[in-house]
Each structure stands twice: as structure tokens, then as C-alpha cells.
């Protein structure tokens, strides 16, 4: 008995993993049909614009996850709790350094970056603003809150790239612990 075909959300997630692993340009339609178990006709039914539509839906799915698990938490939770939950969510999302960044994959190729630059920019600006605003609510001054937010997000993605490049996922976890501690230490007592 064969396994059932994935639902649409699972199909989008599987395509996202291909893009994350092979890049947008490096992912072929045959890889997508194999990973999803769906034929070309089914794929074009759900993704009428083809691969670009697939990528847009993948990005929307990632944005939705981060909105629910990171941005909303930063917007609503108490600072100590927001910091802990953000790092826990990011560690979960990147599978403790074992999963690469879709955004890194989409920004490596010039043509791909051009297609999705605005969407990627909006994602990172949303994260910076949510983290900055949480820090300001906690009493960190304006400029310092912005720098801490930018440094933290850069540390997360730098840690991810370094852990992937060195094939040492626990490095990601150690760097997440240090970045989290930096934010805790920045909160006024």
C-alpha cells in the first residue's frame, strides 16, 4: 500500500526543503515531483505560475510560521519570556543548526535574489522591528535596541552558516545561548 499524497501545506513544505537544500535555480521540476509525489499537472494546478509560484507559497509558509512563533511572541510576551521563546522557536525551526536557511539559499543567486528581494527584505525588517520594539518596551534605549536587534538576527544567521559550514550543529546551539545571554544582559535591571 502506498502512502497518501501530502496535503497542500505539506507539499509546500517539501518544496521548501528542496529550495533550502538545492537553491531555487538548482531545484528541478523532476526533484519536486519526486519529493511531493505529485505529477506536473497537479503541481501546475496548485502553482499556476510554476516554480516562482511555488517559491512564493514557500516564503508565505515560512513567514506564517515566524509570525506565529517569533514575531507575535516578541510583540506580546514579557521581555524575558519573549527572548526565551524566540530562541527556542529559532532553534526548533533550524533544527538546532541542522537545517539551512531558506533566505540564505534565496539570496545566493543574483537572479533568485532579484525575484524575491522585496519579500526577504520585508521579512527581516519585520523581525528587526519586532525585536527592537520588545527591547524598547523593556527599557533599552532606541538606538541600542536597534543595534541589539540587528546584531542578534545577524548572529543567528551567522551561527547557522558557520555551523553548517563546519558541519558542527552544536556550534549553533552554543552561539544561540551566547546571543540569548547578550539580550538578557542588555535588559535594564
Amino acid at each position: 500500500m502506498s502512502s497518501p499524497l501530502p496535503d497542500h501545506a505539506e507539499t509546500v513544505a517539501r518544496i521548501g526543503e528542496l529550495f533550502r537544500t538545492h537553491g531555487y535555480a538548482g531545484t528541478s521540476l523532476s526533484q519536486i515531483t519526486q519529493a511531493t509525489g505529485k505529477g506536473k499537472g497537479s503541481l501546475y494546478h496548485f502553482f499556476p505560475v510554476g516554480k516562482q509560484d511555488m517559491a512564493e507559497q514557500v516564503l508565505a509558509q515560512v513567514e506564517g510560521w515566524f509570525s506565529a512563533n517569533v514575531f507575535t511572541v516578541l510583540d506580546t510576551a514579557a521581555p524575558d519570556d519573549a527572548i526565551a521563546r524566540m530562541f527556542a522557536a529559532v532553534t526548533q525551526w533550524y533544527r538546532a543548526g541542522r537545517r539551512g536557511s531558506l533566505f540564505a539559499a534565496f539570496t545566493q543567486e543574483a537572479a533568485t535574489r532579484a525575484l524575491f528581494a522585496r519579500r526577504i527584505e520585508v521579512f527581516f525588517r519585520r523581525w528587526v522591528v519586532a525585536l527592537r520594539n520588545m527591547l524598547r518596551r523593556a527599557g533599552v534605549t532606541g538606538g541600542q535596541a536597534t543595534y541589539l536587534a540587528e546584531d542578534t538576527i545577524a548572529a543567528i544567521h551567522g551561527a547557522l552558516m558557520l555551523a553548517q559550514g563546519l558541519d558542527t550543529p552544536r556550534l549553533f546551539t552554543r552561539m544561540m545561548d551566547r546571543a540569548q545571554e547578550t539580550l538578557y544582559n542588555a535588559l535594564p535591571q
Side-chain angles (χ1 to χ4, degrees):
M1 178 181 240
S2 63
S3 62
L5 292 177
D7 68 9
H8 188 68
E10 178 63 24
T11 297
V12 171
R14 289 181 184 185
I15 294 168
E17 290 306 312
L18 289 172
F19 289 154
R20 183 184 319 279
T21 303
H22 304 289
Y24 176 77
T27 300
S28 69
L29 190 54
S30 64
Q31 288 172 309
I32 294 169
T33 59
Q34 184 177 4
T36 63
K38 296 184 186 265
K40 290 179 184 178
S42 292
L43 289 171
Y44 281 106
H45 174 74
F46 290 108
F47 308 102
V49 182
K51 200 159 91 167
Q52 184 174 347
D53 193 20
M54 293 175 196
E56 292 287 352
Q57 290 188 42
V58 165
L59 289 169
Q61 189 177 67
V62 171
E63 291 161 356
W65 190 93
F66 270 84
S67 181
N69 295 283
V70 176
F71 306 152
T72 299
V73 168
L74 291 171
D75 290 342
T76 60
D80 285 348
D81 186 41
I83 292 168
R85 290 173 59 192
M86 178 187 75
F87 279 100
V90 167
T91 299
Q92 174 194 353
W93 179 257
Y94 290 120
R95 298 183 184 143
R98 290 176 180 82
R99 181 188 210 193
S101 169
L102 180 67
F103 295 104
F106 275 36
T107 58
Q108 296 303 309
E109 306 153 347
T112 305
R113 185 174 47 251
L115 285 173
F116 305 108
R118 180 73 180 130
R119 192 156 196 165
I120 293 167
E121 177 187 344
V122 167
F123 172 84
F124 281 111
R125 285 192 190 283
R126 172 69 176 101
W127 195 351
V128 168
V129 167
L131 184 52
R132 179 203 66 201
N133 289 348
M134 181 278 298
L135 290 166
R136 285 181 178 170
R137 283 192 316 275
V140 178
T141 60
Q144 184 65 19
T146 300
Y147 297 142
L148 278 167
E150 292 168 346
D151 289 352
T152 300
I153 296 164
I156 290 168
H157 287 86
L160 184 61
M161 290 185 69
L162 187 59
Q164 296 269 308
L166 295 175
D167 194 22
T168 309
R170 71 181 177 276
L171 178 105
F172 177 78
T173 306
R174 284 196 318 264
M175 293 181 81
M176 291 301 88
D177 290 345
R178 285 199 305 261
Q180 185 171 351
E181 189 65 29
T182 297
L183 284 183
Y184 284 137
N185 289 337
L187 298 177
Q189 300 302 321

